[in-house]
Amino acid sequence: MTITPPALSVFESLESEVRSYCRGWPAVFDRAQGSRIHDEDGHSYLDFFSGAGALNYGHNNPVLKRALLDYLERDGITHGLDMSTTAKRAFLTTFQEVVLRPRDLDYKVMFPGPTGTNAVEAALKLARKAKGREAIVSFTNAFHGMSLGSLAVTGNAFKRAGAGIPLVHGTPMPFDHYLDGRVPDFLWFERLLEDQGSGLNQPAAVIVETIQGEGGINVARAEWLRGLAELCKRRDMLLIVDDIQMGCGRTGPFFSFEEAGIVPDIVTLSKSISGYGLPMSLTLFKPELDLWEPGEHNGTFRGNNPAFVTATAALDTYWADGQMEKQTLARGEQIEAALRDIVREHPRSGVEFRGRGLVWGLEFTDKQRAAAVCARAFELGMLLETSGPESEVVKLLPALTISPDELDEGLRTLARAVRETA
Amino acid sequence: MTITPPALSVFESLESEVRSYCRGWPAVFDRAQGSRIHDEDGHSYLDFFSGAGALNYGHNNPVLKRALLDYLERDGITHGLDMSTTAKRAFLTTFQEVVLRPRDLDYKVMFPGPTGTNAVEAALKLARKAKGREAIVSFTNAFHGMSLGSLAVTGNAFKRAGAGIPLVHGTPMPFDHYLDGRVPDFLWFERLLEDQGSGLNQPAAVIVETIQGEGGINVARAEWLRGLAELCKRRDMLLIVDDIQMGCGRTGPFFSFEEAGIVPDIVTLSKSISGYGLPMSLTLFKPELDLWEPGEHNGTFRGNNPAFVTATAALDTYWADGQMEKQTLARGEQIEAALRDIVREHPRSGVEFRGRGLVWGLEFTDKQRAAAVCARAFELGMLLETSGPESEVVKLLPALTISPDELDEGLRTLARAVRETA
Amino acid sequence: MTITPPALSVFESLESEVRSYCRGWPAVFDRAQGSRIHDEDGHSYLDFFSGAGALNYGHNNPVLKRALLDYLERDGITHGLDMSTTAKRAFLTTFQEVVLRPRDLDYKVMFPGPTGTNAVEAALKLARKAKGREAIVSFTNAFHGMSLGSLAVTGNAFKRAGAGIPLVHGTPMPFDHYLDGRVPDFLWFERLLEDQGSGLNQPAAVIVETIQGEGGINVARAEWLRGLAELCKRRDMLLIVDDIQMGCGRTGPFFSFEEAGIVPDIVTLSKSISGYGLPMSLTLFKPELDLWEPGEHNGTFRGNNPAFVTATAALDTYWADGQMEKQTLARGEQIEAALRDIVREHPRSGVEFRGRGLVWGLEFTDKQRAAAVCARAFELGMLLETSGPESEVVKLLPALTISPDELDEGLRTLARAVRETA
Amino acid sequence: MTITPPALSVFESLESEVRSYCRGWPAVFDRAQGSRIHDEDGHSYLDFFSGAGALNYGHNNPVLKRALLDYLERDGITHGLDMSTTAKRAFLTTFQEVVLRPRDLDYKVMFPGPTGTNAVEAALKLARKAKGREAIVSFTNAFHGMSLGSLAVTGNAFKRAGAGIPLVHGTPMPFDHYLDGRVPDFLWFERLLEDQGSGLNQPAAVIVETIQGEGGINVARAEWLRGLAELCKRRDMLLIVDDIQMGCGRTGPFFSFEEAGIVPDIVTLSKSISGYGLPMSLTLFKPELDLWEPGEHNGTFRGNNPAFVTATAALDTYWADGQMEKQTLARGEQIEAALRDIVREHPRSGVEFRGRGLVWGLEFTDKQRAAAVCARAFELGMLLETSGPESEVVKLLPALTISPDELDEGLRTLARAVRETA
């Protein structure tokens, strides 16, 4: 029988049973810096989860920290109302100059509320308004959020059941690699669209992740994404790329869809956009889609000024040139090599890997094993999480700023954890 | 014709048309302290809006600021993942000791995501799960948020239309004072419930604001709230009080429902719970309703640690004794007297007032006038907003920490603005 | 313990448990003529239910019978496809000349399928198409049918639960006399409509029965109906009168809404329109609402030709002059007098009556009593049914062609059954 | 310019624009016998449409006619209330003895209302009740009816749009032969079911036609049907076969699913079940699914007694032995041979045929051609209709009782019409 350490009993007695990440990591965390996080008992952990991708620049990144402290110290505006502020203007200008213009992207910026699901809700509203239709197509194993609009286009049955109402207006289509590998891409989707008797309500939009993070690190090929973009255009559907987890450089380029050379109609960003773990989200869309009436979508924390400050510092520091992208791809090769070794080391073990940039997954045929690997890694001083519909995938999300040595350390710990759970 | 000052053109060209508050206040704000906010051109404004109620302790409250700076300087955990942290534990413990226990409230605490609408979505999910029913009863002119679940129980037709799908599963009932004043409270609601042929789907829950902020500062009487609580109990419906705008002391006591002596089954808190304008929300519920499975509702920014730090400091500083409540009620009397004078001064003007604690509304029969008053107040150096279905109410939401002199100054400015728009 | 007569065992073993009317009348019926129905064991019953109002001209009315036999004998078209036929043309012409033109009603005639619920489904589709809105307002205790569209505007909770999905897009409003008698008509409804913050989705249409048959013989006053019609006009909602049970002369005039002097936008007719118990329905609407595309609503049995034949004969025989209406009102007075006597005879019994023309209800405070009265009446050789949300009302629906003597006999039997169940 | 014959002007001025079949056949029909139908101007037509499959035994079949006339003459019960009657008992007994028992089918019989869509609505309600789930899987190009429940599982976009509300709770899957012929059967469907992250709401039931009549005479292979039945069993979904158009012997055996050797959980029958074109429907289900409460689904015309009389006569006459099935299959071969000749005659014409028993389709790549063929056939004295999502298929539905000579005559006329529209 396990004796609950006193440190955790507060959470158990006061907090709801809904809490989740804390269960896999039985420690009370206190401080963190870069890729290291420390609990109150003095243990230190190498963080390969990065706040579910919210900390691409590491914990308490010193450049962002300095900017934030300066802002707070000089009594900058801290609330989130959508007033015009100097912090918001600086962010808008920097985002335009550092991110949009160099990529030739002409997007209007909407602050839809500071969480990912706010951004998705706004994207879906706008798509429905623009097209005058209710239906949205999403993909198998998609994850877009927990509020009812986003949940209706999310795949996970357990989370969907939490809605307490039947989730409607969404239809799933097969994500890349979902079927047997022999069915032509979009065969089914296109047939449904072209056939006036198919029974599919004509969709307003398609929402897609280029790599499904929660869904199990499922990587769409660039040509699949191009095929999807082309289908959307041909069949008058808006293309929404949910880049909440994969954007902000996670896969290499700032936007994960850049590699495919597509230009979505609507893009959602969150998680690492503030760069400091502070809640912030963006919904971007082509200017001709800016059909909102003033205040048609609102909320108290849409203009999270402290987050604008760190976001601006992050863009200025990391995205003014192409260094970050190159570094991420290099680090990605380091991971890929290590994962290949792990797979090679366990030839009969039913283990596969996939990923891009600094997001990778290690999938186990023995589905329980993934959780065991993460648990063992924790004991060895490392934070790792699972993903996938049955938590069968170990998910690697180190900070983009991780050093080669830290990365190497983590990958060795992972290899050991895999070995020791065999 | 107005010439747009260059300062605003960035917002106009880069940000979506959906922006709203910034339109009424054509200035670029930079710093703020207490009840004063400053734009970049050196103008100063007395803030009677307080970030829509998110700044009950004023801008950059020095006690909270100190705590936040200390936390950030020492590299406390900043991300929002729902791990166990020392900051979260301190908040949970303080909330328990300062807020719940003294009021004999036995609630489990859920961190549903950092915005109000996240909290409402979680409340509705839980109610539906607990009762196994889909229908929710809300009230005329309710405002509960912009994501699809919350929007379905929100009254405003303009915002509802933004959904792009028919909003269902919600049925409005008349809020207190809604009808002609002669219809017995809950006559219609109770009849629908008791009649097996009424056509009302049996509700899982009722969601109510004790004072409707966005709806026009509509104040429910304590006896009406008690009647509602009793009806919920008798008819097996959960009672959800959305205390997002009216909680955290806005009406005097910490929870706005305390005056009525009721104990809701579920309570939502947000806006001023962090005390510093940082995104944070709580969903509270009776322990027997803690039916969540781990992770059944999740999200990246649920555990906004910097917000926990300022929230803890705010509770410790302002709520350890009963002083704040007394002071709020005293300041409220100051407002009431001033509003009475304004109404007296304009006997034929169709102006009425209502409110409690530090939330008040001044309603104009000539509905355009409310916006004119706010515009004039802005010119006179004061931030005021309208509310109500046709923006016919000037809404007063000063910081709870406003000084009597500042309050007096603001009320004189208001009186002048009313006079000058006559 | 009851021994099931062998005659009924076939039904019990082969037919679904959903069967209902047959349970209250444990006999196997074989023949019928006028107001008399005979079972296979030679018992005869006076029919005060008339096939739930489908037999306004009595069983096997000889004039209609002759027309039907002639048609069948000469191999007239019997199927129901919506081809042009001589039988349909005769019906359309007669309906125009005998019913519509004399009442100055300019309606297009749609054959929506042969049952009441088909007619309601078509009416709701058309209203939604015409207004481009989804919401429909119905009334407490309304009954409009069992298919999903109609069921969503039906009040009965037991029947609604049968849908197996949440029924949405309908909102109930209080029927006449529903509240305490002191609330002004439409106070709540109109307030919801005029208030942009009420939360009511703007309705496409209102659907109403002038007398709610299944709902408990609830009689709307003419002025209430006029108020409703006026409200619909003022607030841009279509008015649908579901005259399926109360039309075809049941209340006196051909359409039950004639007395109120209103002209609905859409009218549904069924039950007695064929006059012979054969399935047939009409959806009538103003010409400007004839927005259907060819075949947009279809079905195999829309053009039930044998029913057209009896319908035409019925109109020619009974509605060419005003005799039927006068006779119905006279018979109604006979019922009213008898019911008044019954109430007078049981002063402490909690019994009330209400009705008009030849539809009357006797309501018992002791709700079980209504079923007991019907059961006793059956033993005494008379068919009577209950209605109301808790089956608390004995419903009188004799044929319009009943003779004064038969009516008197039935009313005496009823009085005896009431007496013997005291 | 066409001059409308006066005969049709009544329909044009009085009847709604929704009328459809009458538009393709500009004649006023008056009498019919067997496979011949006559208009009022003395023209005679060979009927290859049979009331959309409602007249499998031909027009005014003399045996059924005699039974019906006898019943009406002796004043049998004509109304449709669900009382126990001798006519209903005779039908139930005969259906049991002639249809169910010889096929070893243990079904309870429900009279859900007299139209096909009533039967489907009841089937869907029951499935949802039995499984406690809302979702239903239907197939591309399915047709199940026009009321909202049935329409939600119907494929045709034009008819779906008529609903005026978004149709939800249904998800289409590919019917047999729908994709490229290389995708394994049910690959997509099964993957969705087995994957907890697929986003498909777990279905209560699957509803399928063995041959899609309205959808374009799409014939499911027996092995595909068996695969579907097996999948339903394995994944805990009820299998509903909608046999409304294909049942009652249209494909050879009484039920169209007999050939595949499957036993659906629920079966709907209508159209030819009365045998005389009179409205009548059945919903059949396994005894363990008889979960209805008395009266949970009701309606006025559920017990259409005259239809029971002809239905009983039809079963007794045609189904007491296996002759009808053999004859249908023989006639089917006659059609197949003729269609093969037509296709052979037009090698470059883009014409294909498919079918079984006495339901066949001739599909034209030049989609307009199908309507042209039907129009020319009408001029040549023959009734033919199109089907398919773009009306690209000529549909052959002769009476099962058609003589070889009549069939030959019709097939020659068809061949001529094809030739003359080339």
Side-chain angles (χ1 to χ4, degrees), chain D residues 264-325:
Chain D
D265 298 291
I266 305 179
V267 179
T268 57
L269 282 180
S270 184
K271 293 202 190 267
S272 273
I273 184 63
S274 85
Y276 210 69
L278 306 180
M280 176 176 167
S281 285
L282 303 180
T283 304
L284 311 174
F285 33 82
K286 293 182 175 170
E288 62 268 29
L289 293 174
D290 193 8
L291 304 168
W292 292 109
E293 295 293 319
E296 195 174 357
H297 177 98
N298 67 6
T300 300
F301 299 120
R302 275 169 302 154
N304 190 358
N305 283 292
F308 294 159
V309 170
T310 53
T312 305
L315 295 179
D316 269 338
T317 308
Y318 294 105
W319 295 98
D321 59 27
Q323 274 312 107
M324 175 57 89
E325 178 171 353

Side-chain angles (χ1 to χ4, degrees), chain A residues 10-22:
Chain A
V10 167
F11 302 98
E12 287 172 4
S13 63
L14 302 183
E15 197 179 346
S16 163
E17 292 299 321
V18 81
R19 66 195 189 283
S20 60
Y21 288 121
C22 55

Side-chain angles (χ1 to χ4, degrees), chain D residues 91-103:
Chain D
F91 171 75
L92 282 169
T93 308
T94 303
F95 189 71
Q96 173 73 5
E97 285 171 11
V98 171
V99 175
L100 296 181
R101 195 171 301 152
R103 289 164 182 80

Side-chain angles (χ1 to χ4, degrees), chain C residues 30 86 89 159 271 295 300, chain D residues 30 40 86 159 271 295 300:
Chain C
D30 186 49
T86 49
R89 189 175 55 203
K159 300 211 187 283
K271 292 204 191 267
T300 299
Chain D
D30 186 49
E40 62 177 349
T86 48
K159 301 211 188 283
K271 293 202 190 267
T300 300

Side-chain angles (χ1 to χ4, degrees), chain B residues 279-301:
Chain B
M280 174 176 169
S281 286
L282 303 179
T283 304
L284 312 174
F285 33 81
K286 295 183 173 168
E288 61 268 28
L289 292 174
D290 193 7
L291 305 168
W292 292 109
E293 295 294 319
E296 193 174 358
H297 178 98
N298 66 7
T300 299
F301 299 120

Side-chain angles (χ1 to χ4, degrees), chain C residues 114-383:
Chain C
T115 74
T117 198
N118 293 137
V120 171
E121 294 267 346
L124 298 179
K125 280 185 180 181
L126 186 61
R128 284 165 165 148
K129 177 170 186 165
K131 291 294 173 191
R133 307 179 203 132
E134 298 89 3
I136 305 286
V137 159
S138 59
F139 290 94
T140 50
N141 289 296
F143 181 92
H144 299 293
M146 288 293 105
S147 50
L148 287 191
S150 307
L151 195 52
V153 291
T154 289
N156 191 288
F158 163 64
K159 300 211 187 283
R160 288 174 73 83
I165 57 165
L167 293 172
V168 297
H169 304 303
T171 303
M173 290 291 151
F175 194 71
D176 195 14
H177 307 293
Y178 190 70
L179 296 172
D180 63 358
R182 286 188 298 272
V183 180
D185 294 346
F186 311 112
L187 175 71
W188 167 234
F189 192 2
E190 178 138 32
R191 193 79 179 78
L192 284 171
L193 290 168
E194 84 192 354
D195 177 4
Q196 287 304 300
S198 71
L200 181 76
N201 294 336
Q202 169 71 9
V206 171
I207 185 165
V208 69
E209 301 153 280
T210 60
I211 299 179
Q212 296 181 321
E214 299 306 303
I217 317 297
N218 305 314
V219 185
R221 289 163 299 139
E223 68 195 77
W224 186 87
L225 290 169
R226 280 191 293 269
L228 180 62
E230 193 275 331
L231 182 63
C232 285
K233 192 164 191 177
R234 191 149 34 86
R235 291 287 173 188
D236 187 31
M237 306 178 294
L238 295 175
L239 177 62
I240 306 171
V241 169
D242 179 341
D243 228 14
I244 289 173
Q245 189 162 114
M246 295 306 145
C248 303
R250 176 52 59 188
T251 68
F254 187 83
F255 292 110
S256 72
F257 54 78
E258 293 179 42
E259 190 193 333
I262 61 173
V263 180
D265 297 292
I266 305 180
V267 179
T268 57
L269 282 180
S270 183
K271 292 204 191 267
S272 274
I273 184 66
S274 86
Y276 210 69
L278 306 180
M280 176 176 167
S281 286
L282 303 179
T283 304
L284 311 174
F285 34 80
K286 294 182 175 171
E288 60 269 29
L289 293 174
D290 193 8
L291 304 168
W292 292 110
E293 295 292 320
E296 194 173 359
H297 178 98
N298 67 7
T300 299
F301 299 120
R302 274 169 303 153
N304 189 357
N305 284 292
F308 294 159
V309 169
T310 54
T312 304
L315 295 180
D316 269 339
T317 308
Y318 293 105
W319 294 99
D321 60 28
Q323 275 311 108
M324 175 58 89
E325 177 171 355
K326 279 185 203 153
Q327 178 182 308
T328 297
L329 296 176
R331 298 276 193 283
E333 287 172 20
Q334 193 180 343
I335 296 187
E336 189 170 10
L339 295 181
R340 186 170 297 120
D341 286 348
I342 289 174
V343 169
R344 215 175 271 147
E345 189 184 337
H346 303 271
R348 281 176 304 278
S349 204
V351 51
E352 290 180 356
F353 70 96
R354 50 186 180 260
R356 205 165 69 202
L358 278 167
V359 49
W360 293 83
L362 198 63
E363 179 173 358
F364 291 89
T365 307
D366 169 10
K367 297 175 185 203
Q368 312 299 320
R369 178 100 173 270
V373 167
C374 293
R376 183 66 187 128
F378 181 74
E379 291 167 357
L380 296 171
M382 181 178 180
L383 299 191

Side-chain angles (χ1 to χ4, degrees), chain B residues 295-355:
Chain B
E296 193 174 358
H297 178 98
N298 66 7
T300 299
F301 299 120
R302 273 167 304 152
N304 189 359
N305 284 292
F308 293 159
V309 170
T310 54
T312 304
L315 295 179
D316 268 340
T317 309
Y318 294 104
W319 294 99
D321 60 25
Q323 274 311 108
M324 177 55 93
E325 177 170 354
K326 279 185 204 152
Q327 177 182 306
T328 297
L329 296 176
R331 297 276 192 284
E333 287 171 20
Q334 193 180 341
I335 297 187
E336 188 169 11
L339 295 182
R340 185 170 296 119
D341 286 348
I342 289 174
V343 168
R344 216 175 270 146
E345 190 184 337
H346 303 270
R348 282 175 303 278
S349 204
V351 51
E352 290 180 357
F353 70 98
R354 50 187 180 258

